[in-house]
Amino acid sequence: MSRAAHRSAALAAALAAAVFLAAPAAAAAPAHDGADADAGATAGEAALIGEEHARAHAERRRAARGAGEYPQATRTASLAALAESQALANKGFRPAESGRFAEFFPSPDFGVHLAQLPTGKVLLFSFERVETDPTKETGPTDRIGRTNAGRAFLWDPARGTGARAFKEVRPPTVLMPDGTYAPRPAPFFCAGHAFLPNGMLAVFGGNTGGKGGSGAKLSFVFDPWTEQWYRNRDMSVGRWYPSAVTGADGRQIIMSGQSERGTGTPTPVVERFPAKGLPVPWRPFDIPLDIAVDRFRADAPFRNDYPHLFSLRDGMVYGLGRDADQQWLFDPVKETRRDLPRRPADFRGYGSAVPLPAGLRGPDSVLVLGGDPHDPNTYRLAGGRWTTERPRAFGRTQDDTLILPDATLLTVNGALSTRDYGNGPFNPKADLKYRQTELRDAAGHWRLGPAQRLPRGYHSNALVMPDGRVMVTGDELQQIANDPDIRDSMDGSIEIYEPPYLHKGGGRPALDRAPLGELAHGAAFEVRSSTAAAVRRAVLLAPTTVTHAVNTSQRHLELPVTGVRGDTIALRTPPTAADAPPGHYMLFLLDARGVPSTAKWVKLGLR
């Protein structure tokens, strides 16, 4: 290094230290036009040490201020108290009957959005925090400019639970039409997303900022094979809090979301990706780039955002709105909409909904669960009519309900309302009941299970992993309120739940080999298992992509076992693409006790 370079580096280091030490003074300066209070200091640093390092220093200054407003000692004590109460509450639960929470570890992301990728890795994405005090709004919901930015990470479970198991996959840099046109990682938080047939995740919308939160026209694809983001042509309307679902043809239908005009202006415009006439991305190297959407002929005038969307066995898309009178059926081919019967329950906030397993065929009914803390009932839509099903132990919102490989349902997470856990809004202290899981058996009976460590309400998420465990994350308020070190870059957390089938004893079935190529619908295929004689069931489970209790990708299908010969098991795929839309699925083998193997990935849909 030259002498001049040495002097430049020394000056940069000295300036960085001086600015960091001056954090309290910088904190006193009010933000102007949505800019960071440290904008002047950050700009000075950027000229010397580069924009990325300057942003990192600004983040540390914000964390230091947050630690002063909500002390680290409070966070540490809170997390210790939650661990203690969790252990006490779970003493009475037997893992073989109720499962158990086995791990709790830091994450670099809040997990507002979650996707189980066909590579075995998990994609988490959200926003750059603008507050570290949990009694304030953590996300840049109404911010204009650089602080309104997104972030994304991959977690590789094969690498364990430490920092080395995570990899940043920063979203593309964009210039948002917010009047500042300041470059920043795309603010795609509170978007909608669904899987394409080639395993890529399409993400639509986000937050432009201002107006209480306004919709972005952004359209991206995350490629799990290259671990990169690709940008497509903007949608015709902005969408903040939209929903998306993949249909039988592999195309995605996008509905709802607050428009670019701001909160309170949900768009009725329905769009489709890729546009009709353009090829559907089918192979791993079919990368959507600069691809357009087109407009669906029918509108979807949902009064509230994030409707539940499901593509069921009949090939239709069911749009189940949060308002009881907004339940609609969409025909993806004819591009029409017609009414479904009014749901018995009144308004439902953010609560889960699940397409119920239906054996060898695709789902033909949906169970609507949470969303009303005063109504524990569950409601089933089947055959064009609603029925009231068995209730859970209590009502909750912000809950996540998953289909497990053995076809039981698991509810995790929940709250009294958006950020009220039973003791008032923006109060991290929660009623214990909202931390308890619930399990539903094949007969529809619910029973309470063990408590998770953190209460997780708004922005909480969960998914089933290929090894049969359940990943639980989300809720930035609770994560920063219980952060073991608010000054570091690991400001999220992940919990791992092990369902009862992992505690039956006696080992698990083995799935040693599955086809690597594409499988046609209604086709025979074979797998290898060293425990073939013990296998009783074969199951396809679609990978989850979820946000805000909206999970449009879940699907559970039983595969016919047509023969067993030595270590070879003969199976048959679902009959049509309406039963199982094309894409990647986790294949599990189960024994007579309902214990699943570790899954292998299979690709369904031959082109």
Side-chain angles (χ1 to χ4, degrees):
M1 182 184 291
S2 68
R3 187 174 301 173
H6 274 296
R7 284 199 302 267
S8 178
L11 178 61
L15 178 60
V19 174
F20 185 79
L21 291 171
H32 178 66
D33 292 334
D36 194 333
D38 299 299
T42 303
E45 286 180 295
L48 289 169
I49 62 175
E51 187 174 334
E52 185 173 350
H53 287 157
R55 277 201 304 267
H57 289 170
E59 171 60 28
R60 286 200 294 271
R61 290 192 294 274
R62 285 194 294 270
R65 290 197 299 274
E69 296 167 352
Y70 196 87
Q72 181 62 56
T74 302
R75 304 174 206 267
T76 303
S78 176
L79 183 58
L82 289 172
E84 183 179 353
S85 62
Q86 180 189 34
L88 184 63
N90 292 348
K91 279 184 176 179
F93 292 100
R94 295 182 60 245
E97 295 175 352
S98 303
R100 68 164 186 159
F101 282 92
E103 294 182 81
F104 179 92
F105 53 93
S107 163
D109 192 69
F110 295 130
V112 174
H113 302 264
L114 208 57
Q116 174 62 66
L117 303 176
T119 58
K121 299 178 183 180
V122 178
L123 177 68
L124 308 93
F125 61 100
S126 63
F127 44 72
E128 292 287 356
R129 65 188 185 188
V130 294
E131 289 284 353
T132 54
D133 182 344
T135 64
K136 300 177 181 179
E137 177 59 60
T138 305
T141 297
D142 206 22
R143 298 293 183 101
I144 298 290
R146 292 183 189 276
T147 55
N148 182 20
R151 66 182 185 187
F153 293 84
L154 286 174
W155 174 44
D156 184 356
R159 295 177 65 88
T161 59
R164 63 186 292 273
F166 294 90
K167 172 186 174 182
E168 185 176 12
V169 283
R170 182 173 294 186
T173 297
V174 297
L175 300 175
M176 299 301 296
D178 57 6
T180 70
Y181 297 95
R184 88 294 298 265
F188 55 9
F189 54 91
C190 301
H193 32 90
F195 286 108
L196 290 162
N198 63 355
M200 297 180 187
L201 184 73
V203 178
F204 306 101
N207 180 22
T208 300
K211 305 173 186 175
S214 52
K217 299 180 180 182
L218 299 170
S219 173
F220 296 104
V221 163
F222 182 75
D223 180 352
W225 316 111
T226 63
E227 299 183 349
Q228 294 184 59
W229 292 94
Y230 296 93
R231 186 172 182 180
N232 286 293
R233 296 185 192 176
D234 283 353
M235 297 179 290
S236 64
V237 293
R239 298 181 188 272
W240 190 44
Y241 291 73
S243 297
V245 67
T246 303
D249 62 354
R251 297 183 192 277
Q252 297 175 333
I253 304 296
I254 312 149
M255 298 186 194
S256 191
Q258 306 297 319
S259 79
E260 60 271 30
R261 290 176 291 137
T263 293
T265 63
T267 179
V269 173
V270 179
E271 293 178 283
R272 176 174 40 208
F273 179 84
K276 204 170 182 179
L278 295 177
V280 174
W282 209 265
R283 300 162 298 183
F285 48 85
D286 291 337
I287 298 174
L289 181 63
D290 198 32
I291 301 296
V293 299
D294 66 352
R295 182 162 179 171
F296 196 81
R297 284 202 293 267
D299 281 346
F302 289 107
R303 287 189 293 272
N304 285 280
D305 45 41
Y306 273 139
H308 292 290
L309 304 181
F310 297 104
S311 178
L312 297 188
R313 171 195 303 183
D314 56 7
M316 301 292 110
V317 170
Y318 289 72
L320 308 182
R322 302 192 178 280
D323 295 278
D325 62 336
Q326 293 200 305
Q327 314 295 309
W328 290 315
L329 182 71
F330 297 87
D331 187 324
V333 177
K334 297 179 181 178
E335 302 185 34
T336 58
R337 183 192 87 225
R338 66 178 177 85
D339 292 342
L340 290 168
R342 181 188 178 96
R343 190 184 58 228
D346 291 327
F347 178 79
R348 315 289 288 192
Y350 295 134
S352 52
V354 176
L356 289 172
L360 304 178
R361 297 290 307 277
D364 60 359
S365 67
V366 174
L367 191 68
V368 176
L369 298 104
D372 184 346
H374 307 295
D375 183 3
N377 287 315
T378 62
Y379 300 91
R380 182 179 181 182
L381 175 66
R385 59 186 292 265
W386 289 94
T387 55
T388 302
E389 303 294 303
R390 291 185 176 93
R392 294 186 293 188
F394 53 87
R396 60 173 105 184
T397 69
Q398 322 300 325
D399 57 297
D400 293 276
T401 301
L402 298 169
I403 312 172
L404 300 181
D406 63 356
T408 60
L409 302 186
L410 168 72
T411 291
V412 296
N413 302 323
L416 178 66
S417 63
T418 304
R419 287 190 174 92
D420 186 339
Y421 310 86
N423 290 287
F426 286 94
N427 185 338
K429 296 186 182 301
D431 288 349
L432 176 64
K433 70 179 184 180
Y434 295 120
R435 294 161 59 194
Q436 279 196 267
T437 58
E438 289 192 66
L439 284 164
R440 179 185 184 270
D441 62 22
H445 298 105
W446 291 92
R447 56 188 171 86
L448 284 171
Q452 56 201 74
R453 183 162 305 178
L454 258 61
R456 296 183 191 266
Y458 192 50
H459 290 163
S460 63
N461 290 305
L463 56 76
V464 180
M465 300 164 63
D467 61 9
R469 297 181 300 162
V470 174
M471 172 189 178
V472 183
T473 189
D475 191 334
E476 64 279 1
L477 183 154
Q478 290 293 341
Q479 291 176 98
I480 64 172
N482 296 281
D483 193 322
D485 185 357
I486 195 64
R487 297 166 300 178
D488 68 12
S489 61
M490 304 290 276
D491 56 7
S493 64
I494 292 171
E495 297 177 71
I496 300 296
Y497 170 78
E498 297 173 346
Y501 50 62
L502 294 180
H503 296 275
K504 298 293 186 184
R508 304 174 66 173
L511 176 51
D512 302 311
R513 185 179 301 172
L516 297 177
E518 295 182 2
L519 298 172
H521 289 90
F525 70 103
E526 294 180 340
V527 298
R528 296 289 182 87
S529 169
S530 58
T531 61
V535 171
R536 295 293 179 270
R537 299 163 61 193
V539 163
L540 288 184
L541 195 67
T544 281
T545 179
V546 60
T547 187
H548 293 74
V550 175
N551 186 334
T552 68
S553 65
Q554 286 199 93
R555 212 175 200 86
H556 181 286
L557 299 112
E558 302 272 350
L559 300 185
V561 179
T562 58
V564 178
R565 187 181 68 257
D567 66 352
T568 301
I569 302 174
L571 304 171
R572 183 171 292 276
T573 60
T576 71
D579 290 292
H584 290 77
Y585 290 79
M586 292 180 284
L587 171 63
F588 292 92
L589 300 180
L590 291 83
D591 64 17
R593 303 167 299 159
V595 177
S597 66
T598 295
K600 297 285 188 186
W601 290 94
V602 295
K603 170 81 178 296
L604 193 59
L606 188 61
R607 272 288 174 95

